[in-house]
Amino acid sequence: MKTRLDPAVFRDERPWFAGVGPLVRLRDFGARDFEVSDLGVAVSVGYAAPRWFLSAQVQYLDGFGVGLMAGGRF
């Protein structure tokens, strides 16, 4: 069986992106000493241009943290 896919299906012209995900502190879970403070959340937003991108992230895991990332194709 042969299928032809339109390449436009894989293109997204929206430059802004955002995401949310869980954070989990790495521990020896075999010891069963898991605590609620081992769970956190991260929120990321960014902008992707044709040759570069910029992304910012805010995290909470027993305290707040922020990050900034930039990169691109040369």
Side-chain angles (χ1 to χ4, degrees):
M1 187 164 98
K2 189 174 181 182
T3 304
R4 288 188 58 174
L5 293 176
D6 184 1
V9 170
F10 300 101
R11 273 198 310 266
D12 191 351
E13 302 298 330
R14 294 173 293 189
W16 292 97
F17 59 90
V20 174
L23 292 176
V24 179
R25 182 177 289 122
L26 296 177
R27 286 184 180 247
D28 181 11
F29 291 106
R32 301 193 193 286
D33 60 350
F34 185 76
E35 300 173 3
V36 175
S37 62
D38 292 330
L39 296 175
V41 66
V43 177
S44 181
V45 295
Y47 180 84
R51 294 187 56 89
W52 57 271
F53 73 91
L54 185 64
S55 175
Q57 186 177 64
V58 176
Q59 313 172 45
Y60 180 80
L61 179 59
D62 217 11
F64 281 99
V66 295
L68 184 66
M69 186 187 316
R73 295 184 295 241
F74 299 104

